[in-house]
Amino acid sequence: MRTGTTSAGLLVLRLAAGGFLLPHGLGKLLGWFGGPGIAGFAAELQHFGLPSAPPLPLLLAALQTGLGLMVAVGAFTRIAALGSAAFLGVTVALNLSHGWFWMQGGIEYPLLWLLANLSVALTGPGTLSMDARRQEMAHGR
């Protein structure tokens, strides 16, 4: 196995898996990238029949943002990727009634990112990550 290309591949996977989740969290948290902001996110939660009272929308938006960032940089990667996959699993469940295709509100897109995050959780972060750097520092390298 070629470790250099494997680590580079894991970096690309992490950047995609976390990097695609991050702007969605920031859109909910801060209204960036055309996102709904906290009030709009609370309305989305309510639309799906989920609890939407403060501070839950803020906590969920912060969690999504934090998990995306952690996966992207490879910090506490396996836990963050599992959390991201769980977050996306809820999105998949909420959209099941809309079928497969994302352009019709289906599960295709969130399922792809759930599987990408699950792949990161299963493989780990690789050597080009904060986790690897933390390990090096713990072992005096």
Side-chain angles (χ1 to χ4, degrees):
M1 182 188 302
R2 297 180 51 168
T3 349
T5 56
T6 300
S7 288
L10 289 172
L11 173 63
V12 169
L13 180 60
R14 274 196 351 265
L15 289 173
F20 276 76
L21 191 62
L22 181 60
H24 288 275
L26 289 170
K28 292 175 180 103
L29 189 63
L30 303 171
W32 291 2
F33 311 110
I38 295 296
F41 180 45
E44 288 177 9
L45 291 172
Q46 196 170 39
H47 169 77
F48 283 108
L50 299 172
S52 60
L56 187 60
L58 174 64
L59 293 173
L60 289 173
L63 179 64
Q64 185 178 15
T65 303
L67 289 172
L69 181 62
M70 290 168 67
V71 170
V73 301
F76 303 97
T77 308
R78 290 180 191 267
I79 293 167
L82 280 175
S84 297
F87 203 98
L88 287 155
V90 172
T91 304
V92 168
L94 290 173
N95 289 289
L96 272 173
S97 64
H98 296 111
W100 176 256
F101 292 104
W102 181 246
M103 58 209 148
Q104 296 166 351
I107 65 169
E108 172 186 29
Y109 185 74
L111 183 60
L112 169 69
W113 295 115
L114 181 158
L115 295 172
N117 275 282
L118 188 56
S119 295
V120 170
L122 291 170
T123 59
T127 58
L128 303 173
S129 66
M130 296 298 295
D131 286 341
R133 180 69 182 129
R134 193 176 66 247
Q135 287 287 345
E136 289 172 2
M137 291 173 64
H139 292 95
R141 293 183 217 156

